[in-house]
Amino acid sequence: MIFKPQAIIFDLDGVITDTAHLHFLAWRQVADEIGIEIDEAFNASLKGISRGESLQRILQYGGKAGAFSPEACAQLAERKNRLYVHSLRQLTVNSVLPGIRELLMTLREQQIPVGLASVSLNAPAILHALDLSSYFDFCADAALITRSKPDPEIFLAACAGLGVDPRQCIGIEDAQAGIEAINACGMLSVGIGTRLNEAGLQLPATEFLTWPCLSAFWQHDK
Ligand code: B16
Ligand code: MG
């Protein structure tokens, strides 16, 4: 008898498509305008971190923590988002990371519910641009989340929306904060990339993320 997880919950940026570079370009421009220089290495530390908190980390990095009023911070975050949303126009169905569309199709065939746990407020628009919306049974609403990853809130919201027990689910993430969030809710964690501590299973890239691989992981660890 093969046991299956009750659901698979995906992160978006870095797992389904790679928008990290677009986030970087938008943040770099805004940071530059207030005299802070950031690079791709620093940007990697913002993976899975909400927009508002990303701005606070940039200000801290540039030695300007507390230099802007809440209203000015809101304007900076809004400016970054306008730049970012504009850049999302370049996303097409070909922007899905290798193997992901095939995996989502197989999960449909296997009748395994699929959820999304992205802290991006732009997630629904991105799924739509990638023509993947129909593969997701529930997308947690980032606007209702009060605590950024590594808090498990967004993953718990995705499980609640699907009506599944987190301890019977797999979560997939590319960020350390996301792996910690998955583990904190008792889900099995799959990490995409390198240098992810505590991932139950670590794969170097999405092309290795297949249903046989996830199924074998589940049989082995449950
Ligand atoms: P937005 P994920 C996260 O997406 C990104 O990794 C992070 O860099 C970004 O700041 C955050 O979404 C918020 O995005 O500004 O579009 O609301 O990894 O949780 O899918
Ligand atoms: Mg991510």
Side-chain angles (χ1 to χ4, degrees), residues 11-15 47-48 149 173-175:
D11 170 47
L12 176 65
D13 175 28
V15 173
K47 274 189 189 176
K149 300 166 185 174
E173 261 287 351
D174 69 314

Side-chain angles (χ1 to χ4, degrees), residues 141-218:
D141 185 348
L144 301 179
I145 300 302
T146 55
R147 297 180 298 277
S148 241
K149 300 166 185 174
D151 190 283
E153 188 179 9
I154 188 112
F155 282 94
L156 291 173
C159 290
L162 290 169
V164 295
D165 178 351
R167 291 165 302 178
Q168 299 301 321
C169 298
I170 292 176
I172 306 173
E173 261 287 351
D174 69 314
Q176 183 61 38
I179 294 294
E180 289 168 25
I182 293 170
N183 291 344
C185 43
M187 304 167 78
L188 285 192
S189 56
V190 177
I192 304 295
T194 52
R195 284 179 290 158
L196 291 169
N197 298 322
E198 309 293 331
L201 171 69
Q202 187 168 316
L203 300 170
T206 55
E207 64 204 81
F208 301 99
L209 191 60
T210 61
W211 169 241
C213 165
L214 289 179
S215 179
F217 172 49
W218 185 258

Side-chain angles (χ1 to χ4, degrees), residues 11-13 23 46-51 54 80 84 118-122 149:
D11 170 47
L12 176 65
D13 175 28
H23 279 294
L46 302 180
K47 274 189 189 176
I49 305 300
S50 71
R51 195 183 309 162
S54 294
K80 180 268 176 178
Y84 176 64
S118 168
V119 297
S120 173
L121 294 161
N122 297 297
K149 300 166 185 174

Side-chain angles (χ1 to χ4, degrees), residues 5-176:
Q6 286 183 1
I8 311 267
I9 314 290
F10 289 79
D11 170 47
L12 176 65
D13 175 28
V15 173
I16 291 172
T17 188
D18 191 6
T19 43
H21 186 66
L22 302 180
H23 279 294
F24 169 62
L25 294 177
W27 276 130
R28 186 178 62 177
Q29 183 160 337
V30 171
D32 192 51
E33 287 165 8
I34 55 173
I36 297 174
E37 197 178 318
I38 61 169
D39 58 17
E40 292 261 18
F42 172 77
N43 186 63
S45 73
L46 302 180
K47 274 189 189 176
I49 305 300
S50 71
R51 195 183 309 162
E53 186 159 343
S54 294
L55 175 61
Q56 292 309 318
R57 290 190 186 198
I58 290 168
L59 295 177
Q60 184 129 30
Y61 178 76
K64 300 201 175 187
F68 294 87
S69 67
E71 294 73 26
C73 285
Q75 279 173 12
L76 289 169
E78 175 57 30
R79 166 135 178 80
K80 180 268 176 178
N81 193 51
R82 273 200 307 276
L83 292 165
Y84 176 64
V85 168
H86 183 80
S87 73
L88 289 176
R89 291 181 190 180
Q90 61 191 266
L91 289 187
T92 71
V93 291
N94 297 320
S95 309
V96 181
L97 284 168
I100 294 296
R101 191 181 300 277
E102 294 74 8
L103 173 61
L104 291 169
M105 289 166 75
T106 309
L107 294 178
R108 272 280 176 266
E109 284 162 23
Q110 295 287 330
Q111 300 185 324
I112 297 175
V114 171
L116 188 78
S118 168
V119 297
S120 173
L121 294 161
N122 297 297
I126 294 172
L127 285 187
H128 180 73
L130 302 172
D131 195 24
L132 290 181
S133 307
S134 63
Y135 292 106
F136 286 83
D137 300 291
F138 184 79
C139 297
D141 185 348
L144 301 179
I145 300 302
T146 55
R147 297 180 298 277
S148 241
K149 300 166 185 174
D151 190 283
E153 188 179 9
I154 188 112
F155 282 94
L156 291 173
C159 290
L162 290 169
V164 295
D165 178 351
R167 291 165 302 178
Q168 299 301 321
C169 298
I170 292 176
I172 306 173
E173 261 287 351
D174 69 314
Q176 183 61 38

